[in-house]
Coordinates of all heavy atoms in Angstrom, one line a residue:
M1 N -3.3 -14.2 21.4 CA -3.8 -15.5 21.2 C -5.3 -15.5 20.8 O -5.8 -16.2 20.0 CB -3.7 -16.4 22.4 CG -2.2 -16.9 22.6 SD -1.9 -18.4 21.7 CE -0.5 -19.1 22.5
S2 N -6.0 -14.5 21.5 CA -7.5 -14.5 21.3 C -7.9 -14.0 19.9 O -8.9 -14.5 19.4 CB -8.1 -13.7 22.4 OG -7.6 -12.4 22.4
R3 N -7.1 -13.1 19.4 CA -7.6 -12.7 18.0 C -6.5 -12.9 17.0 O -5.4 -12.4 17.1 CB -8.1 -11.2 18.1 CG -7.1 -10.1 18.3 CD -7.9 -8.9 18.7 NE -8.2 -8.0 17.7 CZ -7.5 -6.9 17.4 NH1 -6.4 -6.6 18.1 NH2 -7.8 -6.0 16.5
P4 N -6.8 -13.8 16.1 CA -5.9 -14.1 15.1 C -5.6 -12.9 14.2 O -6.5 -12.3 13.7 CB -6.6 -15.2 14.2 CG -8.1 -15.1 14.6 CD -8.1 -14.5 15.9
A5 N -4.4 -12.6 14.1 CA -4.0 -11.4 13.3 C -4.0 -11.8 11.8 O -3.2 -12.6 11.4 CB -2.7 -10.9 13.7
R6 N -4.9 -11.2 11.1 CA -4.9 -11.4 9.7 C -4.1 -10.3 9.0 O -4.3 -9.1 9.2 CB -6.3 -11.4 9.1 CG -7.1 -12.6 9.4 CD -8.1 -12.9 8.3 NE -9.3 -12.2 8.5 CZ -10.2 -12.1 7.5 NH1 -10.0 -12.6 6.4 NH2 -11.3 -11.4 7.8
P7 N -3.1 -10.7 8.2 CA -2.3 -9.7 7.6 C -3.1 -8.8 6.6 O -3.9 -9.4 5.9 CB -1.2 -10.5 7.0 CG -1.7 -11.8 6.8 CD -2.8 -12.0 7.8
H8 N -2.8 -7.6 6.6 CA -3.5 -6.7 5.6 C -2.6 -6.7 4.4 O -1.8 -5.8 4.1 CB -3.6 -5.3 6.2 CG -4.6 -5.2 7.3 ND1 -5.9 -4.8 7.2 CD2 -4.5 -5.7 8.6 CE1 -6.6 -4.9 8.3 NE2 -5.7 -5.4 9.2
V9 N -2.9 -7.6 3.6 CA -2.1 -7.8 2.3 C -3.1 -7.7 1.1 O -4.3 -8.0 1.3 CB -1.3 -9.1 2.3 CG1 -0.2 -9.1 3.3 CG2 -2.3 -10.3 2.4
P10 N -2.6 -7.3 0.0 CA -3.5 -7.1 -1.2 C -3.9 -8.4 -1.8 O -3.1 -9.3 -1.9 CB -2.6 -6.2 -2.1 CG -1.2 -6.6 -1.8 CD -1.2 -6.9 -0.3
M11 N -5.2 -8.4 -2.3 CA -5.7 -9.5 -3.1 C -5.6 -9.1 -4.5 O -6.2 -8.1 -4.9 CB -7.2 -9.6 -2.7 CG -7.6 -11.0 -2.4 SD -9.4 -11.1 -2.0 CE -9.8 -9.5 -1.4
R12 N -4.8 -9.8 -5.3 CA -4.6 -9.5 -6.7 C -5.7 -10.3 -7.5 O -6.0 -11.4 -7.1 CB -3.2 -9.8 -7.2 CG -2.2 -9.0 -6.5 CD -0.8 -9.5 -7.0 NE 0.3 -8.6 -6.6 CZ 0.9 -8.6 -5.4 NH1 0.5 -9.4 -4.4 NH2 1.9 -7.8 -5.1
P13 N -6.2 -9.8 -8.6 CA -5.9 -8.5 -9.2 C -6.8 -7.3 -8.8 O -6.8 -6.3 -9.4 CB -6.1 -8.8 -10.7 CG -7.2 -9.7 -10.7 CD -7.1 -10.5 -9.4
L14 N -7.5 -7.5 -7.7 CA -8.5 -6.5 -7.3 C -7.9 -5.4 -6.5 O -8.4 -4.3 -6.4 CB -9.7 -7.1 -6.5 CG -10.6 -8.0 -7.4 CD1 -11.6 -8.7 -6.5 CD2 -11.3 -7.2 -8.5
W15 N -6.8 -5.7 -5.8 CA -6.1 -4.8 -5.0 C -7.0 -4.3 -3.8 O -7.1 -3.1 -3.5 CB -5.5 -3.6 -5.8 CG -4.3 -4.2 -6.5 CD1 -4.4 -4.8 -7.8 CD2 -2.9 -4.3 -6.1 NE1 -3.1 -5.3 -8.1 CE2 -2.2 -5.0 -7.1 CE3 -2.3 -3.9 -5.0 CZ2 -0.9 -5.3 -7.0 CZ3 -0.9 -4.2 -4.9 CH2 -0.2 -4.9 -5.9
R16 N -7.7 -5.3 -3.3 CA -8.4 -5.0 -2.1 C -7.8 -5.8 -0.9 O -7.2 -6.8 -1.2 CB -9.9 -5.4 -2.2 CG -10.6 -4.4 -3.1 CD -12.1 -4.5 -2.9 NE -12.7 -3.4 -3.7 CZ -13.1 -2.3 -3.1 NH1 -12.9 -2.0 -1.8 NH2 -13.6 -1.3 -3.9
C17 N -7.9 -5.2 0.3 CA -7.2 -5.9 1.4 C -7.9 -7.2 1.7 O -9.1 -7.3 1.8 CB -7.3 -5.0 2.6 SG -6.5 -5.7 4.1
R18 N -7.0 -8.2 1.9 CA -7.5 -9.5 2.3 C -8.1 -9.6 3.6 O -9.0 -10.4 3.9 CB -6.3 -10.5 2.2 CG -6.6 -11.9 1.9 CD -5.3 -12.6 1.8 NE -4.7 -12.6 0.4 CZ -5.2 -13.3 -0.6 NH1 -6.1 -14.2 -0.4 NH2 -4.6 -13.2 -1.8
A19 N -7.7 -8.7 4.5 CA -8.2 -8.8 5.9 C -9.5 -7.9 6.1 O -10.4 -8.4 6.7 CB -7.1 -8.3 6.9
C20 N -9.5 -6.7 5.5 CA -10.6 -5.8 5.8 C -11.4 -5.4 4.6 O -12.4 -4.8 4.7 CB -10.1 -4.5 6.6 SG -9.0 -3.5 5.6
G21 N -10.9 -5.8 3.4 CA -11.7 -5.5 2.2 C -11.6 -4.1 1.6 O -12.2 -3.8 0.6
A22 N -10.9 -3.2 2.3 CA -10.7 -1.9 1.8 C -9.8 -1.9 0.6 O -9.0 -2.8 0.4 CB -10.2 -1.0 2.9
E23 N -9.8 -0.8 -0.1 CA -8.8 -0.6 -1.2 C -7.4 -0.6 -0.5 O -7.1 0.1 0.4 CB -9.0 0.7 -1.9 CG -10.2 0.7 -2.8 CD -10.2 1.9 -3.7 OE1 -9.7 2.9 -3.4 OE2 -10.8 1.7 -4.8
W24 N -6.5 -1.5 -1.1 CA -5.2 -1.6 -0.5 C -4.3 -0.5 -1.1 O -4.4 -0.2 -2.3 CB -4.6 -3.0 -0.9 CG -3.4 -3.4 0.0 CD1 -3.5 -4.0 1.2 CD2 -2.1 -3.1 -0.3 NE1 -2.2 -4.1 1.7 CE2 -1.3 -3.6 0.8 CE3 -1.4 -2.4 -1.3 CZ2 0.0 -3.4 0.9 CZ3 0.0 -2.3 -1.3 CH2 0.7 -2.8 -0.2
P25 N -3.4 0.1 -0.4 CA -3.1 -0.2 1.0 C -4.1 0.5 2.0 O -4.3 1.7 1.9 CB -1.7 0.5 1.2 CG -1.6 1.5 0.2 CD -2.4 1.0 -1.0
C26 N -4.8 -0.3 2.8 CA -5.7 0.2 3.7 C -4.9 0.9 4.9 O -3.7 0.8 5.0 CB -6.6 -0.9 4.3 SG -5.6 -2.2 5.0
Q27 N -5.7 1.5 5.8 CA -5.0 2.2 6.9 C -4.0 1.3 7.7 O -2.9 1.6 8.0 CB -6.0 2.8 7.8 CG -5.5 4.0 8.6 CD -4.9 5.1 7.8 OE1 -5.4 5.3 6.7 NE2 -3.8 5.7 8.2
P28 N -4.5 0.1 8.1 CA -3.6 -0.8 8.9 C -2.4 -1.2 8.1 O -1.3 -1.3 8.6 CB -4.4 -2.0 9.2 CG -5.8 -1.5 9.2 CD -5.9 -0.5 8.1
A29 N -2.6 -1.4 6.8 CA -1.4 -1.8 5.9 C -0.4 -0.6 5.8 O 0.8 -0.9 5.9 CB -1.9 -2.2 4.5
R30 N -1.0 0.6 5.7 CA -0.1 1.7 5.7 C 0.8 1.9 6.9 O 2.0 2.1 6.9 CB -0.9 3.0 5.5 CG -1.5 3.1 4.1 CD -2.4 4.3 3.9 NE -3.1 4.2 2.7 CZ -3.7 5.2 2.1 NH1 -3.7 6.4 2.6 NH2 -4.3 5.0 0.9
L31 N 0.1 1.7 8.1 CA 0.8 1.8 9.4 C 1.9 0.7 9.5 O 3.0 1.0 9.9 CB -0.2 1.7 10.5 CG -1.1 2.9 10.7 CD1 -2.1 2.6 11.8 CD2 -0.2 4.1 11.1
A32 N 1.5 -0.5 9.0 CA 2.5 -1.6 9.1 C 3.7 -1.3 8.2 O 4.8 -1.6 8.6 CB 1.8 -2.9 8.7
L33 N 3.4 -0.8 7.0 CA 4.5 -0.4 6.1 C 5.4 0.7 6.7 O 6.6 0.6 6.6 CB 4.0 0.0 4.8 CG 3.4 -1.2 3.9 CD1 2.6 -0.6 2.7 CD2 4.6 -2.1 3.4
L34 N 4.8 1.7 7.3 CA 5.5 2.8 7.9 C 6.4 2.3 9.0 O 7.6 2.7 9.1 CB 4.6 3.9 8.4 CG 4.0 4.7 7.3 CD1 2.9 5.7 7.9 CD2 5.0 5.5 6.5
V35 N 5.9 1.3 9.8 CA 6.7 0.8 10.8 C 7.9 -0.1 10.3 O 9.0 0.0 10.6 CB 5.9 -0.1 11.8 CG1 6.7 -0.9 12.8 CG2 4.9 0.8 12.6
E36 N 7.5 -0.9 9.3 CA 8.5 -1.8 8.7 C 9.6 -1.0 8.1 O 10.8 -1.5 8.1 CB 7.8 -2.7 7.7 CG 8.7 -3.8 7.2 CD 7.9 -4.8 6.2 OE1 6.7 -4.7 6.2 OE2 8.6 -5.5 5.5
Y37 N 9.3 0.1 7.4 CA 10.3 0.8 6.7 C 10.7 2.1 7.4 O 11.1 3.1 6.8 CB 9.8 1.2 5.3 CG 9.8 0.0 4.4 CD1 8.7 -0.9 4.3 CD2 10.9 -0.3 3.5 CE1 8.6 -1.9 3.4 CE2 10.9 -1.4 2.7 CZ 9.7 -2.2 2.6 OH 9.7 -3.3 1.8
R38 N 10.5 2.1 8.7 CA 10.7 3.4 9.4 C 12.1 4.0 9.2 O 12.4 5.2 9.4 CB 10.3 3.3 10.9 CG 11.2 2.4 11.7 CD 10.7 2.3 13.1 NE 11.4 1.2 13.8 CZ 11.1 -0.1 13.8 NH1 10.1 -0.5 13.0 NH2 11.8 -1.0 14.5
D39 N 13.1 3.1 9.0 CA 14.5 3.5 8.9 C 14.9 3.8 7.4 O 16.0 4.2 7.1 CB 15.4 2.5 9.5 CG 15.2 2.4 11.0 OD1 14.9 3.4 11.6 OD2 15.4 1.3 11.5
D40 N 14.0 3.5 6.5 CA 14.3 3.6 5.1 C 13.1 4.0 4.2 O 12.5 3.2 3.6 CB 14.9 2.3 4.6 CG 15.7 2.5 3.3 OD1 15.5 3.6 2.7 OD2 16.4 1.6 2.9
R41 N 12.8 5.3 4.4 CA 11.6 5.8 3.7 C 11.8 5.7 2.1 O 10.8 5.5 1.4 CB 11.3 7.2 4.1 CG 10.0 7.8 3.6 CD 8.8 7.0 4.1 NE 8.6 7.1 5.5 CZ 7.9 8.0 6.1 NH1 7.2 8.9 5.5 NH2 7.7 8.0 7.4
T42 N 13.0 5.8 1.7 CA 13.2 5.7 0.2 C 12.9 4.3 -0.3 O 12.3 4.2 -1.3 CB 14.7 6.0 -0.1 OG1 15.0 7.3 0.5 CG2 15.0 6.1 -1.6
A43 N 13.3 3.3 0.5 CA 13.0 1.9 0.1 C 11.5 1.7 0.0 O 11.0 1.0 -0.8 CB 13.7 0.9 1.0
L44 N 10.8 2.3 1.0 CA 9.4 2.1 1.0 C 8.7 2.7 -0.2 O 7.9 2.1 -0.9 CB 8.8 2.8 2.3 CG 7.3 2.9 2.4 CD1 6.6 1.5 2.3 CD2 6.8 3.7 3.6
L45 N 9.2 3.9 -0.6 CA 8.6 4.6 -1.8 C 8.9 3.8 -3.1 O 8.1 3.7 -4.0 CB 9.2 6.0 -1.9 CG 8.6 6.9 -0.8 CD1 9.3 8.3 -0.8 CD2 7.1 7.2 -1.1
V46 N 10.1 3.2 -3.1 CA 10.5 2.4 -4.3 C 9.6 1.2 -4.4 O 9.0 0.8 -5.4 CB 12.0 2.0 -4.2 CG1 12.3 0.9 -5.3 CG2 12.9 3.2 -4.4
Y47 N 9.4 0.5 -3.2 CA 8.5 -0.6 -3.1 C 7.1 -0.3 -3.5 O 6.5 -1.0 -4.3 CB 8.6 -1.1 -1.7 CG 7.7 -2.3 -1.4 CD1 7.8 -3.5 -2.0 CD2 6.7 -2.2 -0.4 CE1 6.9 -4.6 -1.7 CE2 5.8 -3.2 -0.1 CZ 6.0 -4.4 -0.7 OH 5.1 -5.4 -0.4
L48 N 6.6 0.8 -3.0 CA 5.2 1.2 -3.3 C 5.1 1.6 -4.8 O 4.0 1.3 -5.4 CB 4.8 2.4 -2.4 CG 4.6 2.1 -0.9 CD1 4.4 3.3 -0.1 CD2 3.3 1.2 -0.8
G49 N 6.1 2.2 -5.3 CA 6.1 2.5 -6.7 C 6.0 1.3 -7.6 O 5.2 1.3 -8.6
T50 N 6.7 0.2 -7.2 CA 6.6 -1.0 -7.9 C 5.2 -1.6 -7.8 O 4.6 -2.1 -8.8 CB 7.6 -2.1 -7.4 OG1 8.9 -1.5 -7.3 CG2 7.6 -3.3 -8.2
L51 N 4.6 -1.6 -6.6 CA 3.3 -2.1 -6.4 C 2.2 -1.3 -7.2 O 1.3 -1.8 -7.8 CB 2.9 -2.1 -5.0 CG 3.7 -3.1 -4.1 CD1 3.2 -3.1 -2.7 CD2 3.4 -4.6 -4.6
M52 N 2.4 0.0 -7.2 CA 1.5 0.9 -7.9 C 1.5 0.6 -9.4 O 0.4 0.6 -10.0 CB 1.9 2.4 -7.7 CG 1.0 3.3 -8.4 SD 1.4 5.1 -8.1 CE 2.8 5.3 -9.1
Q53 N 2.7 0.3 -9.9 CA 2.8 -0.1 -11.4 C 2.0 -1.4 -11.6 O 1.2 -1.5 -12.6 CB 4.3 -0.3 -11.7 CG 4.6 -0.2 -13.1 CD 4.3 1.2 -13.7 OE1 4.6 2.2 -13.0 NE2 3.7 1.3 -14.8
E54 N 2.2 -2.3 -10.7 CA 1.5 -3.6 -10.9 C 0.0 -3.5 -10.8 O -0.8 -4.0 -11.6 CB 2.1 -4.6 -9.8 CG 1.6 -6.0 -10.0 CD 2.1 -6.9 -8.9 OE1 3.0 -6.5 -8.1 OE2 1.5 -8.0 -8.8
A55 N -0.4 -2.7 -9.7 CA -1.8 -2.5 -9.5 C -2.4 -1.7 -10.7 O -3.5 -2.1 -11.2 CB -2.0 -1.7 -8.2
G56 N -1.7 -0.8 -11.2 CA -2.2 0.0 -12.3 C -2.5 -0.9 -13.6 O -3.5 -0.8 -14.2
D57 N -1.5 -1.8 -13.8 CA -1.7 -2.7 -15.0 C -2.9 -3.6 -14.8 O -3.7 -3.8 -15.7 CB -0.4 -3.5 -15.1 CG 0.8 -2.7 -15.6 OD1 0.5 -1.6 -16.1 OD2 1.9 -3.2 -15.5
Q58 N -3.0 -4.2 -13.6 CA -4.0 -5.2 -13.3 C -5.4 -4.5 -13.3 O -6.3 -5.1 -13.8 CB -3.7 -6.0 -12.0 CG -2.4 -6.8 -12.2 CD -2.1 -7.6 -10.9 OE1 -2.7 -7.4 -9.9 NE2 -1.1 -8.4 -11.0
L59 N -5.5 -3.4 -12.6 CA -6.8 -2.7 -12.5 C -7.2 -2.2 -13.9 O -8.4 -2.2 -14.2 CB -6.7 -1.6 -11.5 CG -6.5 -2.0 -10.0 CD1 -6.3 -0.8 -9.1 CD2 -7.8 -2.8 -9.6
A60 N -6.2 -1.8 -14.7 CA -6.6 -1.3 -16.0 C -7.2 -2.4 -16.9 O -8.2 -2.2 -17.6 CB -5.4 -0.7 -16.7
Q61 N -6.7 -3.6 -16.7 CA -7.2 -4.8 -17.4 C -8.7 -5.1 -17.0 O -9.5 -5.4 -17.8 CB -6.4 -6.0 -17.2 CG -5.0 -5.8 -17.8 CD -4.5 -7.2 -18.3 OE1 -5.0 -8.2 -18.1 NE2 -3.3 -7.1 -19.0
L62 N -8.9 -5.0 -15.7 CA -10.2 -5.2 -15.2 C -11.2 -4.1 -15.6 O -12.4 -4.3 -15.7 CB -10.2 -5.3 -13.7 CG -9.4 -6.4 -13.0 CD1 -9.5 -6.2 -11.5 CD2 -10.0 -7.7 -13.4
N63 N -10.6 -3.0 -15.9 CA -11.4 -1.8 -16.1 C -11.6 -1.4 -17.6 O -11.9 -0.3 -17.9 CB -10.5 -0.7 -15.5 CG -11.3 0.2 -14.6 OD1 -12.5 -0.1 -14.3 ND2 -10.7 1.3 -14.1
G64 N -11.4 -2.4 -18.5 CA -11.5 -2.1 -19.9 C -10.4 -1.2 -20.3 O -10.5 -0.3 -21.1
H65 N -9.2 -1.5 -19.7 CA -7.9 -0.8 -20.1 C -7.9 0.6 -19.8 O -7.0 1.3 -20.3 CB -7.6 -1.1 -21.6 CG -7.5 -2.5 -21.9 ND1 -6.4 -3.3 -21.6 CD2 -8.4 -3.4 -22.5 CE1 -6.7 -4.5 -22.0 NE2 -7.9 -4.6 -22.5
A66 N -8.8 1.1 -19.0 CA -8.7 2.5 -18.5 C -7.8 2.5 -17.2 O -8.1 1.7 -16.3 CB -10.1 3.1 -18.2
R67 N -6.8 3.3 -17.2 CA -5.9 3.3 -16.1 C -6.7 4.0 -14.9 O -7.2 5.1 -15.1 CB -4.7 4.2 -16.5 CG -3.6 3.9 -15.5 CD -2.5 3.2 -16.3 NE -1.4 3.0 -15.4 CZ -0.6 1.9 -15.4 NH1 -0.8 1.0 -16.4 NH2 0.4 1.8 -14.6
P68 N -6.8 3.4 -13.8 CA -7.5 4.0 -12.7 C -6.9 5.3 -12.2 O -5.6 5.5 -12.2 CB -7.5 3.0 -11.6 CG -6.4 2.0 -11.9 CD -6.2 2.1 -13.4
A69 N -7.7 6.3 -11.9 CA -7.2 7.6 -11.4 C -6.8 7.5 -10.0 O -7.3 6.7 -9.2 CB -8.2 8.7 -11.7
G70 N -5.9 8.4 -9.6 CA -5.7 8.5 -8.1 C -4.8 7.5 -7.5 O -4.7 7.4 -6.3
L71 N -4.1 6.7 -8.4 CA -3.2 5.7 -7.8 C -2.0 6.3 -7.1 O -1.6 5.7 -6.1 CB -2.7 4.8 -8.9 CG -3.7 3.7 -9.4 CD1 -3.0 2.8 -10.4 CD2 -4.1 2.8 -8.2
A72 N -1.5 7.4 -7.5 CA -0.4 8.0 -6.9 C -0.8 8.4 -5.4 O 0.0 8.2 -4.5 CB 0.2 9.2 -7.6
D73 N -2.0 9.0 -5.3 CA -2.4 9.4 -4.0 C -2.6 8.1 -3.1 O -2.2 8.1 -1.9 CB -3.8 10.0 -4.0 CG -3.7 11.5 -4.3 OD1 -2.5 12.0 -4.3 OD2 -4.7 12.1 -4.6
R74 N -3.1 7.1 -3.7 CA -3.4 5.9 -2.9 C -2.1 5.2 -2.5 O -2.1 4.6 -1.4 CB -4.3 5.0 -3.8 CG -4.6 3.7 -3.2 CD -5.6 3.0 -4.1 NE -5.6 1.6 -3.9 CZ -6.4 0.7 -4.7 NH1 -7.1 1.2 -5.6 NH2 -6.3 -0.6 -4.4
F75 N -1.1 5.2 -3.4 CA 0.1 4.4 -3.1 C 1.2 5.2 -2.5 O 2.1 4.7 -1.8 CB 0.5 3.6 -4.3 CG -0.2 2.4 -4.6 CD1 -1.4 2.4 -5.3 CD2 0.2 1.2 -4.1 CE1 -2.2 1.3 -5.5 CE2 -0.5 0.0 -4.4 CZ -1.7 0.0 -5.0
L76 N 1.3 6.5 -2.9 CA 2.6 7.2 -2.6 C 2.4 8.4 -1.7 O 3.3 8.6 -0.8 CB 3.2 7.6 -3.9 CG 3.7 6.5 -4.9 CD1 4.2 7.1 -6.1 CD2 4.8 5.7 -4.2
T77 N 1.4 9.1 -1.9 CA 1.3 10.4 -1.2 C 1.4 10.3 0.3 O 2.1 11.0 1.0 CB 0.1 11.2 -1.7 OG1 0.1 11.3 -3.1 CG2 0.0 12.6 -1.1
W78 N 0.7 9.3 0.8 CA 0.6 9.2 2.3 C 2.0 8.8 2.8 O 2.4 9.1 3.9 CB -0.4 8.1 2.7 CG -0.1 6.8 2.1 CD1 -0.6 6.4 0.8 CD2 0.7 5.7 2.6 NE1 -0.1 5.1 0.6 CE2 0.7 4.7 1.6 CE3 1.4 5.6 3.8 CZ2 1.4 3.5 1.8 CZ3 2.1 4.4 4.0 CH2 2.1 3.4 3.0
A79 N 2.8 8.1 2.0 CA 4.1 7.6 2.5 C 5.1 8.8 2.5 O 6.1 8.7 3.2 CB 4.6 6.5 1.6
R80 N 4.8 9.8 1.6 CA 5.8 10.9 1.5 C 5.5 11.9 2.6 O 6.4 12.6 3.0 CB 5.6 11.6 0.2 CG 6.3 11.0 -0.9 CD 6.5 12.0 -2.0 NE 6.7 11.4 -3.3 CZ 5.7 11.3 -4.2 NH1 4.6 12.0 -4.0 NH2 5.9 10.7 -5.3
A81 N 4.3 11.9 3.1 CA 4.0 12.9 4.2 C 4.8 12.7 5.4 O 5.1 11.5 5.8 CB 2.5 12.8 4.5
R82 N 5.3 13.7 6.0 CA 6.3 13.6 7.1 C 5.7 14.1 8.4 O 6.3 14.2 9.4 CB 7.5 14.3 6.8 CG 8.3 13.6 5.7 CD 9.7 14.2 5.6 NE 9.6 15.6 5.1 CZ 10.5 16.5 5.3 NH1 11.6 16.2 6.1 NH2 10.4 17.7 4.8
G83 N 4.3 14.3 8.4 CA 3.7 14.9 9.5 C 3.9 14.2 10.8 O 4.1 14.8 11.9
Q84 N 3.9 12.9 10.7 CA 3.9 12.1 12.0 C 5.3 11.5 12.3 O 5.4 10.7 13.1 CB 2.8 11.0 12.0 CG 1.5 11.6 12.0 CD 0.4 10.6 12.0 OE1 0.6 9.4 11.8 NE2 -0.9 11.0 12.3
D85 N 6.2 11.9 11.5 CA 7.6 11.4 11.7 C 8.2 11.9 12.9 O 8.3 13.1 13.1 CB 8.5 11.8 10.5 CG 8.9 10.6 9.7 OD1 8.4 9.5 10.0 OD2 9.7 10.7 8.8
P86 N 8.6 11.1 13.8 CA 9.3 11.6 15.0 C 10.7 12.0 14.5 O 11.2 11.3 13.6 CB 9.4 10.4 15.9 CG 9.2 9.2 15.1 CD 8.4 9.7 13.9
D87 N 11.2 13.0 15.1 CA 12.6 13.4 14.7 C 13.5 12.5 15.5 O 14.0 12.8 16.5 CB 12.9 14.8 15.1 CG 12.2 15.8 14.1 OD1 12.1 15.4 12.9 OD2 11.7 16.8 14.5
G88 N 13.8 11.3 14.9 CA 14.5 10.3 15.5 C 16.0 10.7 15.7 O 16.4 11.7 15.2
P89 N 16.7 9.9 16.4 CA 18.1 10.1 16.7 C 19.0 10.2 15.4 O 18.7 9.5 14.5 CB 18.6 9.0 17.5 CG 17.6 7.9 17.3 CD 16.3 8.5 16.9
Ligands
ZN101 ZN1 -6.8 -4.0 5.6

């Protein structure tokens, strides 16, 4: 009750986090997504791929049509890493 939870969601078309202002997906957003999709990593990657496409298009327009570099790292690589995956049942 004491601290209003602001959702870490992207602000379009800048793709910065509405809550913390970092490039989205920020760390809290990544954690929330990993929890939300913990049973379906494939669906998470599909979802992130769609967002990456959208972000790429929108950022490219802001950027004088240059496609921003490093989007795959920003949107996908962290979700593929399995380092912290518990070996669930
Ligand atoms: Zn954030």
Side-chain angles (χ1 to χ4, degrees):
M1 284 273 202
S2 55
R3 69 200 263 263
R6 283 211 278 166
H8 291 259
V9 294
M11 231 179 334
R12 294 174 171 85
L14 291 174
W15 290 85
R16 288 199 170 265
C17 177
R18 208 174 271 282
C20 66
E23 287 192 330
W24 197 89
C26 59
Q27 202 59 34
R30 292 177 187 197
L31 287 174
L33 286 167
L34 286 173
V35 169
E36 189 177 344
Y37 286 89
R38 64 184 172 277
D39 294 327
D40 197 348
R41 189 60 66 92
T42 306
L44 173 60
L45 289 168
V46 169
Y47 175 61
L48 287 168
T50 307
L51 291 180
M52 181 175 74
Q53 202 63 42
E54 191 185 344
D57 289 346
Q58 293 179 353
L59 291 171
Q61 292 214 352
L62 295 176
N63 228 6
H65 302 284
R67 199 112 180 147
L71 278 183
D73 275 350
R74 178 170 157 187
F75 279 84
L76 295 177
T77 304
W78 59 271
R80 275 201 206 107
R82 291 189 292 154
Q84 293 180 348
D85 247 8
D87 287 322

